[in-house]
Each structure stands twice: as C-alpha cells, then as structure tokens.
Amino acid sequence: KALAAGDAGDAGDAAASASAAESALDLSLPGRIGYRVLHAEDDEFVRLTLPLSTFRKMGCAVVQVADGRAAVDHPDVASGQVHCVVLDNQMPVLSGAGAGRELRAHGF
C-alpha cells in the first residue's frame, strides 16, 4: 500500500507491520535469505570481517574478490548469479566507482 504525504495513521500502521515482519524473520538461520553477494575489498581485514559478520548472518552466500576488475570479470556476475555487489571505493587495478560503472553498463 502506497502512503500518501501526511497520512500519519497509515504510516504508523505500516511501521508496525514492518516491525512485526522483521521480528518474525530469524536472520540468524543460514540460507534464510538465499542471496549471493559479491564483495570487492582490497583490505584483507575488512574482507574477512564485514561479510562474515553481516551478510552470512543473514543467510547470504558471499563471494569475495580483492579488486574492482576481479568483481567485473567474476563468472558469477556474467551468469546472473549475483544479487548484490558491495564495492570498496579505493582499490587497486579498478576502483569501486569504475567497477560500478562497468557493471551498470553491462546491465547489472
């Protein structure tokens, strides 16, 4: 249901419904969401902590690469098996901004 501007009653109902839906979804169960995330990050510490503590707890499969070129050229991207791409901005070979532009140009 779309909310009209200034429709406070419906907004409160929508917020309550969203809260109930979030509490009903147990994000700690592996495979619960089922998305494949491609994470491009050159800093090994960030690469090992962010996806493990965030994406995997939500049940996402995480594919990791160390630079933007590896993200753009990853076979899972070409085959349409990636649902979300998380890019560091400053990386060697190809920056996150450059990788994002290339991914969008190829229909991602």
Side-chain angles (χ1 to χ4, degrees):
K1 176 180 176 182
L3 296 177
D7 196 353
D10 286 344
D13 293 342
S17 295
S19 178
E22 287 173 10
S23 64
L25 178 61
D26 183 359
L27 296 179
S28 66
L29 296 174
R32 181 70 171 208
I33 293 177
Y35 289 122
R36 182 177 300 250
V37 176
L38 177 62
H39 180 222
E41 170 64 62
D42 61 314
D43 184 320
E44 185 177 7
F45 176 76
V46 175
R47 201 169 53 241
L48 293 175
T49 56
L50 176 68
L52 294 176
S53 66
T54 305
F55 302 126
R56 288 187 178 152
K57 282 183 181 179
M58 294 187 312
C60 297
V62 180
V63 177
Q64 297 178 314
V65 295
D67 63 70
R69 174 55 52 208
V72 171
D73 294 342
H74 198 279
D76 286 353
V77 171
S79 66
Q81 295 179 16
V82 173
H83 301 98
C84 175
V85 177
V86 178
L87 301 166
D88 180 16
N89 193 42
Q90 294 183 340
M91 293 183 286
V93 185
L94 182 61
S95 70
R101 281 190 297 274
E102 286 193 31
L103 288 165
R104 283 190 301 277
H106 290 85
F108 189 86

